[in-house]
Amino acid sequence: MSVDTWLAFFVASWIISFSPGSGAIYAMSCGLNHGFRRGFIGTFGLIAGIMTALAVVAVGLGAVLSTSTHAFTALKWLGVAYLVYLGLKQWRASPVPMAAVDRDAPNVSARTLMVKGWAVNATNPKGLVFMMAVMPQFIDSQAALWSQYLAIAATMACTDFVAMAIYTAFAARVLAFFRSEAQIRFLNRLFGGLFVAAATALATFKRASA
């Protein structure tokens, strides 16, 4: 990958990473519920989910999803169901102030936070379709493909790492000032609603060829 091509993808990657979506909602939810230091663990799962989607496209399975209606539909509704589940769980969460949540945070394992983050991004066919549409614009078919895929993966991981850190910190630092039960209940329902809204948007998503 030439320097000019990489710089173009680098800029695009920042835009992609900061675009509001289910990943950003999950990062903010983690920051709200667990504080920055523990909540940020969920970001590693989000990045793993992105890398999973990229790997699927890289090995050609993305082509199967783009041509198989059943495979695409199954993955889409799996993602919808998971986002609705997260939304309902967040909506019904106890209105506990951040200070108390920080003390109780170890009750939620790092593995759980990462697996949930992975599922949010790995079950999102929009990410797969987006990569199938965008990645070819930055790939030189005459050069070694795997080195280019690695460059793209590393770039996306770095930009998403920073973007999700900012989203998590925003929720943990800014939203932490919401301390009353009524305020926390409002935030829980806000983020629960955002998860369901993301699920609704995913449910209406169709392939460009459809």
Side-chain angles (χ1 to χ4, degrees):
M1 180 178 290
S2 67
V3 174
D4 289 343
T5 301
W6 178 80
L7 286 174
F9 181 77
F10 182 68
V11 172
S13 187
W14 280 110
I15 297 173
I16 296 166
S17 295
F18 276 106
S19 297
S22 54
I25 296 171
Y26 180 73
M28 289 190 288
S29 176
C30 285
L32 171 66
N33 290 316
H34 309 292
F36 176 76
R37 191 164 56 176
R38 188 161 191 82
F40 185 61
I41 295 174
T43 293
F44 293 96
L46 291 171
I47 293 174
I50 292 175
M51 295 301 102
T52 299
L54 192 151
V56 166
V57 173
V59 299
L61 293 181
V64 174
L65 289 173
S66 68
T67 57
S68 171
T69 300
H70 295 302
F72 180 88
T73 301
L75 184 60
K76 182 178 78 171
W77 287 108
L78 176 63
V80 168
Y82 189 69
L83 290 174
V84 170
Y85 162 76
L86 291 178
L88 292 176
K89 187 174 182 180
Q90 184 71 47
W91 183 281
R92 299 172 61 187
S94 300
V96 182
M98 281 294 299
V101 173
D102 283 342
R103 291 195 294 271
D104 294 337
N107 292 330
V108 179
S109 70
R111 179 180 179 180
T112 297
L113 292 173
M114 288 190 288
V115 168
K116 286 184 176 180
W118 174 84
V120 166
N121 278 339
T123 61
N124 188 349
K126 291 178 70 173
L128 288 168
V129 174
F130 179 83
M131 287 185 186
M132 285 189 290
V134 173
M135 280 178 53
Q137 313 303 318
F138 300 95
I139 294 293
D140 181 359
S141 60
Q142 303 303 315
L145 293 179
W146 286 108
S147 61
Q148 296 179 79
Y149 286 140
L150 287 174
I152 287 175
T155 301
M156 290 192 68
C158 289
T159 57
D160 212 59
F161 191 85
V162 173
M164 294 306 105
I166 291 174
Y167 277 124
T168 305
F170 170 77
R173 307 304 184 194
V174 177
L175 300 184
F177 288 102
F178 289 69
R179 295 184 180 276
S180 72
E181 286 192 6
Q183 291 172 328
I184 296 299
R185 185 178 293 108
F186 167 77
L187 289 176
N188 284 338
R189 292 181 176 179
L190 173 63
F191 281 103
L194 288 174
F195 272 121
V196 174
T200 301
L202 180 57
T204 61
F205 177 72
K206 297 180 180 180
R207 293 172 295 171
S209 59

